[in-house]
Amino acid sequence: MINLSGNVQIHFNEIQKIVDHIEEHFDREITADEIERLSQYSYRNFQRIFFKIFNETISGFQKRLRLEKSYKKLIYTTDKISDIAWEVGYLNIQSFSKAFKKQYRLSPVEARKQKQEIFKAFIDSETSDFRYEIKYKDAVSVYGIFIKAKDYNNHEINDLWDVIERENRDSFSAYGIIRDQPLITGGSHCRYGAAISKEGSGLRKMDIFGGKYIRFAHYGSFDTILETYRSFYRFWLTQPDLLLDNSDVIEEYLQADTGENITYIYFPLYS
């Protein structure tokens, strides 16, 4: 729970509900009346607490989501730029290009052409044997919570899981939800969701999966999971026909009979 001046209190779950609503309707204006109806608080008070948590206004958050989703589509798919502009809420390609260039200092056309350059520093030049499977996953209802985890650092993520595991001691299936692409989203804005298969204190019900995915595995400590992601991106950049969707990446956490940790990583495929 968060306290505001004037004895106004807002639960994190209520904030997450509004954030989910903004994400679902990112391509249109979210009105003050809409926020007040959903939150049961004045727009002014909710705007204050939103800025306190996210360090940006609601409208700024929505604009950033539009441009980040468009950037993903530019590098993940072969969709026409005019179609991408329309899908993320811009009425014409001119206004989209202007906003995109102001945010990223390059045009949408240049961003698409420089896909290899975007990942160059992250993947380095090494090659590796990359093994994967194509899987269709039905939607699954889980209970979770999102945090801002700068550049998806393990420290903040591990602290979150320590709290969840301490308050939910029974066995459960566990998932990580990677909402942002850190090479596009500013590190301080990256969001990570921890979710389990059973209802828990302070956790919101949500659906994950529901579609076609490319699945690969990381074995052992999370300290080296970035190397597995690098292997995936090295492979993906050599496969021009393998198109990705811009929805959440899901990590499924398991433990083998030998006691070794296994993380299955699911990247959504574009259809």
Side-chain angles (χ1 to χ4, degrees):
M1 183 178 289
I2 298 171
N3 291 296
L4 293 174
S5 59
N7 295 320
V8 177
Q9 296 181 321
I10 299 181
H11 288 273
F12 277 109
N13 279 354
E14 294 170 335
I15 294 171
Q16 187 60 55
K17 180 174 67 176
I18 305 303
V19 171
D20 290 346
H21 182 78
I22 295 172
E23 289 210 65
E24 184 178 353
H25 303 284
F26 73 93
D27 57 343
R28 66 167 177 81
E29 180 185 2
I30 306 294
T31 66
D33 287 344
E34 204 170 345
I35 295 294
E36 290 181 348
R37 186 178 70 253
L38 290 168
S39 69
Q40 301 299 308
Y41 294 96
S42 73
Y43 182 77
R44 182 170 176 267
N45 277 329
F46 193 85
Q47 179 78 279
R48 286 166 59 202
I49 193 62
F50 190 95
F51 189 87
K52 183 177 181 180
I53 294 174
F54 293 98
N55 199 31
E56 58 187 335
T57 64
I58 293 173
S59 61
F61 175 73
Q62 186 176 21
K63 180 181 178 182
R64 181 171 60 79
L65 285 185
R66 288 180 178 182
L67 293 174
E68 288 174 0
K69 287 177 183 291
S70 71
Y71 206 147
K72 288 181 184 179
K73 282 182 171 290
L74 286 167
I75 63 176
Y76 288 170
T77 78
T78 56
D79 288 357
K80 293 181 179 178
I81 294 176
S82 57
D83 291 341
I84 293 174
W86 178 262
E87 287 173 17
V88 299
Y90 287 89
L91 298 180
N92 57 70
I93 194 170
Q94 290 78 18
S95 59
F96 167 63
S97 296
K98 182 178 179 181
F100 191 94
K101 191 164 187 176
K102 183 178 180 181
Q103 177 74 16
Y104 296 112
R105 301 185 184 278
L106 74 170
S107 70
V109 173
E110 291 169 331
R112 172 162 277 174
K113 288 180 178 178
Q114 294 179 18
K115 179 171 74 173
Q116 298 279 346
E117 291 298 317
I118 293 170
F119 289 92
K120 183 177 180 180
F122 177 70
I123 64 175
D124 64 45
S125 61
E126 296 179 11
T127 59
S128 60
D129 179 24
F130 183 77
R131 299 181 181 182
Y132 68 93
E133 298 176 277
I134 303 297
K135 293 280 188 180
Y136 184 87
K137 295 283 287 184
D138 292 329
V140 175
S141 292
V142 296
Y143 300 86
I145 186 170
F146 276 88
I147 62 168
K148 291 173 68 177
K150 186 174 182 180
D151 293 323
Y152 291 114
N153 69 85
N154 286 330
H155 177 71
E156 290 175 294
I157 292 172
N158 288 340
D159 286 348
L160 175 61
W161 276 111
D162 285 344
V163 173
I164 291 175
E165 291 170 354
R166 185 167 61 246
E167 297 182 357
N168 301 273
R169 296 186 180 279
D170 296 335
S171 61
F172 49 77
S173 298
Y175 305 91
I177 305 169
I178 312 301
R179 181 138 291 177
D180 301 296
Q181 165 51 264
L183 299 179
I184 295 173
T185 300
S188 62
H189 292 301
C190 288
R191 291 162 297 162
Y192 172 86
I196 59 177
S197 56
K198 71 184 190 75
E199 192 169 359
S201 175
L203 305 181
R204 291 189 68 248
K205 186 176 181 180
M206 65 184 79
D207 289 335
I208 59 174
F209 292 124
K212 192 176 181 181
Y213 295 81
I214 179 170
R215 185 183 83 171
F216 53 101
H218 169 77
Y219 298 93
S221 170
F222 294 115
D223 292 339
T224 59
I225 198 169
L226 274 182
E227 295 306 316
T228 302
Y229 275 94
R230 286 189 177 98
S231 295
F232 168 74
Y233 282 118
R234 279 194 293 266
F235 164 77
W236 173 68
L237 287 171
T238 66
Q239 307 292 318
D241 295 330
L242 185 63
L243 305 181
L244 302 178
D245 188 66
N246 66 330
S247 53
D248 297 339
V249 175
I250 308 294
E251 296 179 347
E252 182 180 20
Y253 307 126
L254 305 170
Q255 192 171 68
D257 294 337
T258 61
E260 182 181 30
N261 291 325
I262 302 174
T263 302
Y264 281 124
I265 303 170
Y266 294 83
F267 265 82
L269 293 176
Y270 181 74
S271 57

